[in-house]
Amino acid sequence: MKARGCATTAESLANGLRCIDCAAEYPLAYRLECEKCHGLLELIYDLDTLGRRGREVFRNPGLWRYAPVLPITRPEHRVTLGEGQTPLLDCPRLAKFLGVKRLLLKFDGTNPTGTVKDRSSATAIAAALQFGFQATSVVSTGNAASSIAAYSARAGLRSLIFVYERASAPKMLHIGATATDLIIYQGVYDDLIGHWDRLTEEQLFFDCGASRNAYKQEGKKTLAYEIWEQNGFRAPDVVVAPVAVGEIFISMFRGFRELARVGWIEKVPLMVAAQATRSNPVSQAFRDGGPLVPIKIGYTVAEGLATGDPGKKGEWVLRTLREERGLAADAEDEEIVEAQKVLTRTEGIWAGPTGVATLAVLGRLLATKKVDPAQTICVIVSETGLKTEAEVPARQGTAFDYASLRALVLSRLTP
Ligand SMILES: *Cc1c(COP(=O)(O)O)cnc(C)c1O
Ligand SMILES: [Zn+2]
């Protein structure tokens, strides 16, 4: 069925799923892995038609502007809360501070629930509708939980949300108010996800997890298309993306690769995978040159990056890094908290620790001369700071009369 009005421009050009290991192809159905080798699946598109139709096909506002390169066929399934088209900010003061020529910051904290997760939730919940599911579920450290709960509510679906016991209070409040069923789990993400992934086989709910679902991941691909479009139809030289399970990294890389195949960019940017040192299995494997080894992790301020066992998607990130000559690195919690302060002081952007891990990692890569400061560097800042829980500095207030108020203002603002 075609959309009324803009039938050709908003038509999805997805034409199947392909195994990333053995290249077996499947029709556009709800399938989480390859039947032959259990490999992960990725969506494939009719890129020739995309090239022929030209970039004018990208017309709608928000995330569904890129409907032609998303896997949702019917417009009535394209659920939205106004996600996407987040600002790409030129950051001259921060660039100067870091000693780089041109720094672009893609700030995804302006999404409806304050994080990049809304991109993948939009396509996940749309796919749940497309494949006729009544309920959704996810295991999350917090951000995916609030986002999936919100998009499920928006679509009228039941949501069974499993959330990390140490998730911040603002996240907990938000999820508690939004989810139809909220379950708090003990331990870390890695302790539960294996069991939960097994349960997805029974199809009692639509899989909104990050481990396998190609439809969910696809929404994050729009980051690449947006950056390209907002940067005057050019790709930056370097893109620094956060990695927990690896959906953002993989889908952005795929987006840039599609743009390169159609001939709309010359080459895919150098992709940097950024992790927190306390949760760095991909960065470690990259450094050691060996296979990905799951690690036991504890708490990191970058809550959204707390994944010690990213599974097959982590391996996919590593493979992409090696085959495409990307980079991976990590930053300590202290550096992440410092990056948060520097960002808000230099540019007025208040982002959460998970969101600024990329910036802390860029600082490290510049210090070790692994990234060329003369290039155009784009950093993904993936969440707002308003969901962070932290101790507030002293709350002791001062009482004023006119004279004391005037004296204070003069003492502060007289040069
Ligand atoms: C989940 C999350 C990430 C990590 O994304 P992956 O796709 O799992 O690698 C990064 N930033 C924020 C804010 C997140 O919530
Ligand atoms: Zn296969």
Side-chain angles (χ1 to χ4, degrees):
M1 183 177 141
K2 287 192 172 175
R4 263 163 284 139
C6 48
T8 49
T9 53
E11 185 190 349
S12 170
L13 297 172
N15 54 16
L17 290 157
R18 183 171 53 212
C19 173
I20 67 160
D21 291 326
C22 77
E25 291 190 7
Y26 301 94
L28 211 60
Y30 181 64
R31 175 184 292 283
L32 297 175
E33 60 174 36
C34 176
E35 211 167 74
K36 302 191 174 86
C37 76
H38 301 290
L40 292 175
L41 301 172
E42 67 178 336
L43 283 147
I44 47 177
Y45 297 85
D46 179 358
L47 295 178
D48 292 338
T49 299
L50 181 64
R52 241 191 344 269
R53 288 188 183 162
R55 63 195 196 200
E56 294 73 29
V57 290
F58 302 135
R59 276 198 181 153
N60 303 324
L63 177 124
W64 296 106
R65 178 177 186 78
Y66 307 106
V69 289
L70 294 173
I72 306 303
T73 318
R74 290 163 57 167
E76 64 269 32
H77 291 152
R78 293 173 189 165
V79 56
T80 185
L81 282 169
E83 62 293 325
Q85 294 297 317
T86 59
L88 181 72
L89 301 163
D90 220 314
C91 293
R93 261 172 293 277
L94 182 58
K96 193 160 172 232
F97 179 87
L98 290 168
V100 306
K101 194 160 160 232
R102 184 158 181 247
L103 184 69
L104 299 172
L105 202 141
K106 182 65 170 164
F107 183 49
D108 246 26
T110 62
N111 277 311
T113 76
T115 78
V116 63
K117 292 285 193 289
D118 293 336
R119 295 179 186 271
S120 39
S121 297
T123 53
I125 303 308
L129 294 173
Q130 174 161 290
F131 298 120
F133 281 77
Q134 304 296 319
T136 66
S137 184
V138 71
V139 176
S140 165
T141 58
N143 286 337
S146 45
S147 184
I148 290 294
Y151 281 80
S152 299
R154 176 81 170 142
L157 300 179
R158 182 163 187 157
S159 56
L160 176 61
I161 307 293
F162 294 87
V163 71
Y164 181 36
E165 59 187 346
R166 290 193 62 180
S168 73
K171 289 179 192 172
M172 284 290 193
L173 282 169
H174 184 189
I175 304 158
T178 317
T180 54
D181 300 82
L182 169 64
I183 321 281
I184 297 170
Y185 63 82
Q186 239 174 38
V188 296
Y189 175 85
D190 304 312
D191 297 330
L192 186 58
I193 194 66
H195 304 307
W196 186 92
D197 276 345
R198 238 180 95 191
L199 243 167
T200 59
E201 304 295 338
E202 296 187 33
Q203 301 208 358
L204 294 167
F205 53 76
F206 184 80
D207 173 11
C208 291
S211 308
R212 297 186 295 174
N213 192 334
Y215 293 91
K216 179 193 168 233
Q217 167 177 304
E218 204 66 353
K220 289 174 175 163
K221 192 177 74 178
T222 55
L223 272 170
Y225 281 86
E226 274 177 32
I227 290 169
W228 162 73
E229 210 177 343
Q230 292 171 325
N231 190 39
F233 302 102
R234 273 167 311 175
D237 301 309
V238 180
V239 174
V240 187
V243 171
V245 175
E247 283 193 334
I248 300 171
F249 184 92
I250 292 161
S251 53
M252 279 192 81
F253 172 77
R254 291 180 57 256
F256 284 120
R257 192 183 56 187
E258 285 170 7
L259 287 166
R261 293 225 167 123
V262 177
W264 292 347
I265 58 173
E266 270 172 40
K267 62 177 180 38
V268 172
L270 172 82
M271 294 284 299
V272 178
Q275 297 204 293
T277 304
R278 294 187 186 182
S279 173
N280 66 350
V282 172
S283 161
Q284 254 185 40
F286 183 78
R287 196 173 310 138
D288 301 344
L292 196 141
V293 183
I295 55 172
K296 271 256 167 271
I297 59 164
Y299 184 77
T300 163
V301 288
E303 286 173 7
L305 301 186
T307 308
D309 183 5
K312 284 187 177 172
K313 277 201 183 155
E315 285 166 17
W316 190 359
V317 173
L318 200 56
R319 190 161 101 190
T320 305
L321 288 171
R322 286 175 178 154
E323 287 173 5
E324 308 295 330
R325 295 201 284 144
L327 286 175
D330 50 74
E332 295 285 357
D333 277 18
E334 296 71 25
E335 295 169 279
I336 293 171
V337 171
E338 185 55 30
Q340 186 183 29
K341 289 184 195 142
V342 168
L343 176 60
T344 196
R345 248 187 265 120
T346 55
E347 301 288 353
I349 300 163
W350 182 232
T354 303
V356 297
T358 44
L359 199 54
V361 164
L362 175 63
R364 276 212 173 183
L365 291 172
L366 288 166
T368 51
K369 300 201 166 18
K370 292 204 175 109
V371 165
D372 177 1
Q375 296 195 304
T376 298
I377 302 168
C378 175
V379 174
I380 310 297
V381 173
S382 54
E383 76 172 354
T384 173
L386 300 174
K387 292 171 89 174
T388 313
E389 182 177 324
E391 259 175 67
V392 178
R395 274 183 186 275
Q396 188 61 50
T398 307
F400 291 103
D401 57 16
Y402 180 74
S404 62
L405 178 64
R406 183 162 188 275
L408 175 113
V409 171
L410 287 177
S411 75
R412 294 291 170 100
L413 298 185
T414 309

